[in-house]
């Protein structure tokens, strides 16, 4: 994608940012809150409903700050305005070997204390 295309996309998305409405993490999902790290992935989930996501893969590095819009079972949807994406949680937060772990989008993450 060219720089001009990225600039146009940002210009189109800017009005939607004002419509963003992060949802505080529900009490039943409080275990998700915190800093999580795994192979080539980092998540920071804030109690107020913000997500900082970093993922480094060959040829594709992402560093995003988005709102958590809702939980669907163990999965959670993030986005800004009409732009949405689902993080698939195959193992919700659980204690394993005295560490909190969860698996998101196929990556095992460990909670950083």
């Amino acid at each position: 994608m060219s720089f001009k295309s990225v600039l146009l996309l940002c210009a189109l998305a800017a009005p939607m940012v004002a419509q963003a409405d992060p949802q505080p993490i529900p009490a039943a999902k409080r275990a998700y809150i915190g800093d999580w790290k795994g192979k080539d992935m980092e998540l920071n989930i804030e109690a107020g409903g913000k997500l900082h996501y970093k993922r480094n893969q060959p040829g594709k590095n992402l560093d995003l700050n988005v709102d958590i819009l809702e939980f669907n079972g163990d999965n959670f949807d993030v986005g800004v305005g009409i732009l949405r994406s689902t993080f698939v949680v195959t193992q919700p937060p659980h204690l394993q070997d005295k560490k909190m772990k969860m698996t998101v989008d196929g990556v095992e993450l460990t909670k950083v204390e």
Side-chain angles (χ1 to χ4, degrees), residues 7 62 67 72 81 87-88 91 101:
L7 194 57
L62 296 171
D67 298 331
N72 292 304
F87 282 78
V88 177
Q91 289 263 317
K101 299 202 179 250

Side-chain angles (χ1 to χ4, degrees), residues 79-90:
V80 176
I82 61 170
L83 304 173
R84 294 176 77 108
S85 184
T86 298
F87 282 78
V88 177
V89 179
T90 52

